[in-house]
Amino acid sequence: MVDEQYFASFCHQILNEHPSIRFVGLADRQGHLITTAYRKNLVPLMDSKDTEKYTFQTVIRASMREVFEDKIGKQRYAVGLYEKLIRATIPIAFSSNKNRKFYLLMSFDLDSDYGHIIERKILPIIKEHKEYFM
């Protein structure tokens, strides 16, 4: 069973790691958005329906890349650079149970050092919460 309150707290913890993080969302393996967190006073570029559609499409794309894991290894994260923001998708799976696979979706300001933030701040937090994602 999904604990939405726990996941909401997790997303807010991620959001508070750096001021250049605009948005954090957590999706399940089917592309359903479980929870989101937005930076204070941020005016989102997309409404909730667009965000749900983006989430579904992003999870589908990420899951399609998994067929190559045996050749190139598991994806740590994927980043897209857009004119108005930077997006990142981080697969979260610590178990062989495919039902316990999640995707952390994030957006950053254009001038952010997103690679450093993801590697040094976000991935360690995900590992700290490993037990809950199993």
Side-chain angles (χ1 to χ4, degrees):
M1 179 171 188
V2 174
D3 184 343
E4 291 180 27
Q5 186 175 11
Y6 179 87
F7 286 144
S9 174
F10 172 78
C11 285
H12 278 92
Q13 180 183 0
I14 298 288
L15 181 68
N16 291 327
E17 280 301 308
H18 199 275
S20 70
I21 299 173
R22 300 170 48 89
F23 162 83
V24 178
L26 189 67
D28 65 17
R29 67 182 180 88
Q30 289 134 345
H32 299 118
L33 195 57
I34 298 168
T35 190
T36 61
Y38 290 89
R39 184 170 64 204
K40 187 177 181 179
N41 299 322
L42 178 80
V43 176
L45 298 173
M46 297 189 309
D47 64 23
S48 60
K49 285 189 179 195
D50 287 337
T51 300
E52 288 175 14
K53 187 184 290 185
Y54 149 73
T55 300
F56 180 75
Q57 291 176 355
T58 298
V59 168
I60 294 300
R61 280 192 306 270
S63 63
M64 289 173 62
R65 290 186 213 103
E66 292 170 5
V67 299
F68 302 108
E69 283 182 355
D70 61 329
K71 296 181 191 263
I72 60 176
K74 290 185 179 187
Q75 181 182 40
R76 292 171 50 93
Y77 56 91
V79 174
L81 178 60
Y82 297 83
E83 290 177 346
K84 296 182 180 183
L85 53 74
I86 298 165
R87 285 189 162 162
T89 304
I90 305 171
I92 303 174
F94 292 105
S95 167
S96 59
N97 179 354
K98 292 187 184 260
N99 291 328
R100 295 301 294 177
K101 180 144 195 168
F102 300 90
Y103 295 87
L104 186 67
L105 311 172
M106 302 180 67
S107 67
F108 298 88
D109 293 328
L110 285 174
D111 61 350
S112 70
D113 186 3
Y114 62 87
H116 178 80
I117 296 166
I118 292 170
E119 290 286 341
R120 303 285 184 220
K121 295 180 181 277
I122 307 310
L123 293 178
I125 290 172
I126 292 170
K127 284 184 183 178
E128 286 175 19
H129 291 265
K130 174 181 178 177
E131 295 299 318
Y132 196 83
F133 287 103
M134 294 182 80

